[in-house]
Amino acid sequence: MHAQIVLFDGFDPLDVIAPYEVLYAGGTASAGAVSVELVSAEGPREVVGGTGGLALRATAALDPGRAGLILVPGASGRVGEPGEVPDHDAGAGEWQQDEFIPVLLGRALATELPALLKAALDNPEVTVGTVCGGSLVLAMAGLLEGRHATTHHLGLDMLDATGVHAVSARVVDDGDLVTGAGVTSGLDLGLYLLEREVGPRIAHAVEELFAHERRGTVWRNKGPEPAGF
């Protein structure tokens, strides 16, 4: 499995680093059955994250035609108070410290990223994963209507408003779409994908290496509906 982790201006570094390290360790434990790289819609470049201006380097352009996994992080910035709106010039120019998360996501939507993600979702050989607000990037682009997905708990209502079946779970498996909730869920998402795609023994070995037990039940749209309680 080859994994492409997407960088865009204002990305949340932990959304990227947590699954990157899990998948990279999975590649080591599986004698190279998993590979991972950082990509961007624009190609190789330094990409500035939303936490203190921390930058990571994308080494290639996102390729939706390549079989494997494409993983989209969320953004790191200000959530804002209820009713607070960005200034009229918010989003203009380059990344600035403490920008609103919706502004950062909106800026990502103004790039080639949505078209590339649509092509990835249309490719039967690609699984698309997201961490935190990464699912909102796809949802705001109109790519997840009718699908089951999760995001950070503060964004579940927004996710639901786009026509997504928002699920309050740490990891949601909807077939070729696997989504994670808050930022640290990137560890659990990565471990689940290792288990699903490579096998539980590899995932368990990485769990032991990282001294982290995967949290929560992975939600899938299977089995009987639970009774109300």
Side-chain angles (χ1 to χ4, degrees):
M1 177 178 70
H2 182 71
Q4 301 178 75
I5 301 181
V6 179
L7 302 179
F8 58 84
D9 295 322
F11 69 89
D12 188 305
L14 189 55
D15 289 2
V16 172
I17 294 300
Y20 183 96
E21 289 220 28
V22 168
L23 295 171
Y24 185 88
T28 300
S30 63
V34 180
S35 56
V36 58
E37 66 177 335
L38 302 180
V39 301
S40 80
E42 298 79 16
R45 69 182 182 101
E46 295 287 327
V47 187
V48 180
T51 302
L54 178 66
L56 295 176
R57 180 164 181 78
T59 57
L62 172 60
D63 180 3
R66 184 169 186 177
L69 170 70
I70 291 174
L71 195 147
V72 185
S76 175
R78 291 183 61 201
V79 175
E81 299 297 327
E84 187 179 5
V85 297
D87 296 333
H88 70 279
D89 59 348
E94 297 183 355
W95 172 89
Q96 299 178 27
Q97 186 75 38
D98 293 329
E99 286 193 289
F100 280 81
I101 288 176
V103 170
L104 296 170
L105 297 178
R107 186 179 295 148
L109 292 171
T111 69
E112 292 298 313
L113 184 57
L116 293 168
L117 294 176
K118 182 181 186 305
L121 286 167
D122 289 341
N123 186 344
E125 296 185 329
V126 171
T127 294
V128 175
T130 69
V131 181
C132 201
S135 58
L136 290 172
V137 174
L138 280 80
M140 292 165 66
L143 301 178
L144 297 188
E145 186 171 355
R147 303 296 300 265
H148 294 88
T150 191
T151 189
H152 191 283
H153 64 90
L154 293 176
L156 286 171
D157 288 344
M158 183 184 297
L159 190 63
D160 187 71
T162 65
V164 176
H165 298 298
V167 181
S168 181
R170 195 153 174 86
V171 176
V172 172
D173 183 340
D174 197 42
D176 63 351
L177 174 70
V178 184
T179 55
V183 287
T184 58
S185 68
L187 289 168
D188 303 305
L189 179 77
L191 287 165
Y192 174 67
L193 288 167
L194 282 181
E195 178 184 358
R196 194 181 91 157
E197 304 296 332
V198 187
R201 295 177 66 181
I202 297 299
H204 182 259
V206 176
E207 276 191 344
E208 285 198 313
L209 177 66
F210 284 17
H212 173 79
E213 293 185 8
R214 200 177 79 212
R215 293 171 51 193
T217 299
V218 174
W219 189 96
R220 294 183 292 166
N221 191 25
K222 293 186 177 181
E225 287 278 350
F229 42 70

